[in-house]
């Protein structure tokens, strides 16, 4: 009786805010197994809803145990990608001693005011740490708040771990951090001097932050010699397949709930105006900075689409068949000329609202016409967000991935707005998970990295 040879794979947990997934990738970077789970949020001690840490942790451990016992696969390594702006407070044994606080939890106004007054004001802290003022989304501020809170002094906090690094510690029982987590709008990292900001030491937070290692390092699992990555922030991880495949300068526009424009080739320091326009810098896994601009466009699309569906009484997929039309170019040009604000001024209000919510839906003859106008309104915002990165550091190509990359109206309007730039819809299977596997490629994979990780479809401007 012949023995069936096991398929060598790497296991990657890709833990998003909504979807928790486990992937097995083979040596050709093809997905051979996927598991997914969602969890209901639970209240913290203030009644604010957040992640059910115990449930997620149990699922992660049980899911990995299952695939380890699966006779079809040989697990060669393990790594993690996870959402950012989130920290876990653990004791010396690595057990969480506080809830996993939601990054949307309101930050105390008085604590923020006293903090910024001590360290040169909001503008200076934002500039030095390449982090817009985002409240609890500045995860270093959440760490500062909870570690300083009187009620937590007897909780036995020993380490403050970023979310992906905490997931890794569940398997290694070792505590590390890495630059993709530290360096993404945390307020922790001083981009001027490439070290922790002075406040981290002065406020007593530094001893709670573990040693910083490179994100391509691995450590042995506590129960075996299996190499385990330290984990990566998912946005940085998702950039890795593109950086491996494309050597010429590009901008990646990753579209989803947030549309995040990432410019790995723009190393210019952030200006005060850029920071007020939700531009930030984060660190790649190799320590190099990436300038990025954020737009809440996917969320706006979801809100306005529900409004349109209700008004015109159409089904939830009606927008998928609305065509692009060249007459939209004139609408776009008019709005750029008459409604797009200056790049030299702070225009957070323009970026926060597409303006479509103020339009009277009664003036539109059909759902199709109304949706086309909405997409023009949305793309004008996106063009402004892109120009914040591109006007001072142009590129020859923009790669668009995620949901909007398959929206013909969105893609053709971008091509029209940037006639000297090649606009591509890019497709890569599970980019953040793939990036986490690629980050530790040499640890588990003896084959060459494939040259076709990303597939492209070009969109031309139509007159």
């Amino acid at each position: 009786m012949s023995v069936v040879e096991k398929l060598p794979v790497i296991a990657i947990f890709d833990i998003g805010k909504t979807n928790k997934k486990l992937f097995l990738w083979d040596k050709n970077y093809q997905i051979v197994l996927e598991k997914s789970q969602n969890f209901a949020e639970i209240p913290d001690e203030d009644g604010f809803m957040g992640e059910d840490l115990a449930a997620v942790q149990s699922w992660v451990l049980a899911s990995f145990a299952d695939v380890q016992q699966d006779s079809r696969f040989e697990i060669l390594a393990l790594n993690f990608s996870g959402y950012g702006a989130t920290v876990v407070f653990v004791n010396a044994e690595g057990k969480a001693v506080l809830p996993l606080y939601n990054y949307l939890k309101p930050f105390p106004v008085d604590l923020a005011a006293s903090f910024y007054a001590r360290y040169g004001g909001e503008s200076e802290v934002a500039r030095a740490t390449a982090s817009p003022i985002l409240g609890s989304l500045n995860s270093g501020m959440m760490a500062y708040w909870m570690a300083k809170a009187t009620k937590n002094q007897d909780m036995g906090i020993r380490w403050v771990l970023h979310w992906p690094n905490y997931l890794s510690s569940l398997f290694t029982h070792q505590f590390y951090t890495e630059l993709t987590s530290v360096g993404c709008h945390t307020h922790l990292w001083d981009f001027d001097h490439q070290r922790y900001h002075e406040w981290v030491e002065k406020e007593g937070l530094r001893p709670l932050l573990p040693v910083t290692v490179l994100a391509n390092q691995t450590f042995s699992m506590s129960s075996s010699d299996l190499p385990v990555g330290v984990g990566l922030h998912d946005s940085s991880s998702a950039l890795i397949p593109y950086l491996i495949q494309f050597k010429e300068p590009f901008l990646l526009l990753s579209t989803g709930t947030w549309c995040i424009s990432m410019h790995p080739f723009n190393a210019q320091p952030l200006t005060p105006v850029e920071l007020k326009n939700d531009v930030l810098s984060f660190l790649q896994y190799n320590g190099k900075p990436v300038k990025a601009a954020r737009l809440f466009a996917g969320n706006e699309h979801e809100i306005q689409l529900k409004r349109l569906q209700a008004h015109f009484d159409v089904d939830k997929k009606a927008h998928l068949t609305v065509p692009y039309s060249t007459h939209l170019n004139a609408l776009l040009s008019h709005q750029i000329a008459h409604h797009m604000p200056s790049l030299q001024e702070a225009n957070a209000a323009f970026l926060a609202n597409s303006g479509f919510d103020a339009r009277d839906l009664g003036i539109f003859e059909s759902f199709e016409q109304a949706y086309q106008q909405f997409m023009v309104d949305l793309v004008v915002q996106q063009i402004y967000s892109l120009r914040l990165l591109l006007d001072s550091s142009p590129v020859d190509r923009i790669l668009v991935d995620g949901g909007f990359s398959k929206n013909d109206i969105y893609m053709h309007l971008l091509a029209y707005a940037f006639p000297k730039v090649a606009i591509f819809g890019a497709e890569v299977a599970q980019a953040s998970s793939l990036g986490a596997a690629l980050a530790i490629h040499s640890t588990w994979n003896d084959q060459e990295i494939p040259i076709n990780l990303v597939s492209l479809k070009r969109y031309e401007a139509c007159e």
Side-chain angles (χ1 to χ4, degrees):
M1 182 177 177
S2 62
V3 177
V4 177
E5 188 174 346
K6 291 185 176 184
L7 181 67
V9 296
I10 184 173
I12 302 292
F13 282 97
D14 185 23
I15 306 298
K17 195 80 166 65
T18 303
N19 298 310
K20 280 65 178 163
K21 295 181 179 180
L22 168 61
F23 296 97
L24 297 185
W25 297 84
D26 68 15
K27 289 188 175 183
N28 295 313
Y29 289 101
Q30 299 296 309
I31 296 169
V32 295
L33 184 73
E34 175 180 347
K35 293 187 174 188
S36 181
Q37 184 70 45
N38 298 336
F39 296 91
E41 292 188 327
I42 60 173
D44 63 20
E45 71 270 19
D46 299 316
F48 199 87
M49 302 302 286
E51 196 81 75
D52 187 340
L53 179 57
V56 175
Q57 178 175 316
S58 295
W59 179 79
V60 166
L61 293 171
S63 297
F64 185 74
D66 286 346
V67 295
Q68 264 199 316
Q69 295 166 12
D70 193 317
S71 60
R72 296 171 295 172
F73 306 111
E74 179 188 7
I75 310 294
L76 299 182
L78 170 64
N79 206 0
F80 310 83
S81 67
Y83 62 89
T86 301
V87 289
V88 188
F89 301 85
V90 306
N91 62 19
E93 288 73 46
K95 177 178 172 54
V97 295
L98 293 174
L100 190 64
Y101 295 106
N102 192 327
Y103 57 55
L104 299 177
K105 185 181 176 74
F107 195 86
V109 175
D110 55 345
L111 184 62
S114 62
F115 174 88
Y116 291 117
R118 279 198 298 280
Y119 296 103
E122 289 187 353
S123 295
E124 173 53 25
V125 174
R127 185 205 62 77
T129 63
S131 309
I133 306 301
L134 300 170
S136 297
L137 269 162
N138 301 128
S139 55
M141 296 297 285
M142 175 66 81
Y144 165 71
W145 176 19
M146 290 302 160
K148 297 283 281 187
T150 303
K151 64 180 180 179
N152 294 332
Q153 294 308 301
D154 296 326
M155 297 300 293
I157 298 172
R158 176 61 190 92
W159 299 113
V160 176
L161 299 174
H162 295 278
W163 181 224
N165 313 144
Y166 171 75
L167 295 168
S168 174
S169 76
L170 296 177
F171 294 87
T172 65
H173 295 170
Q174 298 183 65
F175 310 109
Y176 298 99
T177 189
E178 40 68 47
L179 291 178
T180 71
S181 293
V182 172
C184 192
H185 61 75
T186 63
H187 266 9
L188 292 170
W189 196 252
D190 184 335
F191 278 67
D192 292 338
H193 301 99
Q194 291 301 303
R195 65 185 184 219
Y196 281 111
H197 193 280
E198 63 169 343
W199 79 259
V200 179
E201 193 74 50
K202 289 183 176 179
E203 297 296 339
L205 193 61
R206 184 66 187 89
L208 302 181
L209 299 171
V211 172
T212 303
V213 299
L214 295 176
N216 59 1
Q217 286 185 247
T218 58
F219 301 89
S220 294
M221 187 174 290
S222 61
S223 58
S224 71
D225 293 330
L226 188 81
V228 180
V230 73
L232 298 96
H233 179 267
D234 54 10
S235 294
S236 298
S237 188
L239 192 56
I240 292 173
Y242 294 92
L243 290 168
I244 287 175
Q245 184 155 331
F246 304 109
K247 304 307 179 186
E248 295 300 315
F250 65 87
L251 181 145
L252 175 63
L253 172 53
S254 183
T255 66
T257 301
W258 284 94
C259 290
I260 303 176
S261 306
M262 293 177 273
H263 195 335
F265 304 91
N266 184 338
Q268 298 176 20
L270 288 166
T271 66
V273 169
E274 287 174 336
L275 284 159
K276 290 178 180 177
N277 282 332
D278 219 1
V279 179
L280 54 90
S281 289
F282 65 86
L283 296 175
Q284 301 176 42
Y285 76 111
N286 57 13
K288 293 181 179 179
V290 175
K291 192 176 273 192
R294 305 187 315 152
L295 188 67
F296 212 16
N299 184 69
E300 174 77 349
H301 185 268
E302 184 177 340
I303 291 170
Q304 296 304 328
L305 192 56
K306 289 178 179 177
R307 177 174 167 237
L308 288 169
Q309 290 164 352
H311 180 85
F312 290 100
D313 193 24
V314 297
D315 68 48
K316 293 182 178 180
K317 295 185 177 182
H319 65 290
L320 299 176
T321 56
V322 177
Y324 163 75
S325 173
T326 55
H327 85 273
L328 300 178
N329 296 346
L331 291 179
L332 184 70
S333 295
H334 182 270
Q335 288 191 215
I336 290 173
H338 298 283
H339 300 292
M340 182 179 287
S342 166
L343 293 172
Q344 279 67 52
E345 300 172 5
N347 291 288
F350 176 77
L351 289 164
N353 192 325
S354 71
F356 188 78
D357 59 347
R359 292 190 184 274
D360 177 8
L361 299 186
I363 68 172
F364 299 107
E365 296 178 359
S366 64
F367 170 82
E368 178 178 296
Q369 186 187 58
Y371 182 74
Q372 288 175 331
Q373 178 62 66
F374 168 56
M375 289 307 299
V376 170
D377 292 347
L378 202 65
V379 170
V380 170
Q381 282 185 294
Q382 188 64 72
I383 292 166
Y384 183 81
S385 184
L386 286 165
R387 286 186 59 195
L388 289 167
L389 303 181
L390 292 173
D391 273 26
S392 61
S393 184
V395 295
D396 292 329
R397 60 171 65 185
I398 295 175
L399 312 177
V400 185
D401 75 4
F404 283 128
S405 71
K406 300 175 179 63
N407 186 308
D408 274 358
I409 302 174
Y410 184 95
M411 295 299 294
H412 280 295
L413 287 177
L414 281 186
Y416 178 76
F418 295 97
K420 296 181 180 180
V421 181
I423 306 293
F424 294 94
E427 191 165 351
V428 54
Q430 303 296 336
S432 56
S433 174
L434 175 58
L438 290 166
I440 60 171
H441 172 85
S442 61
T443 301
W444 70 279
N445 197 332
D446 55 6
Q447 298 184 16
E448 293 291 324
I449 296 174
I451 60 172
N452 60 342
L453 294 171
V454 183
S455 60
L456 299 178
K457 175 185 177 181
R458 184 164 184 177
Y459 285 81
E460 304 280 359
C462 299
E463 299 293 342

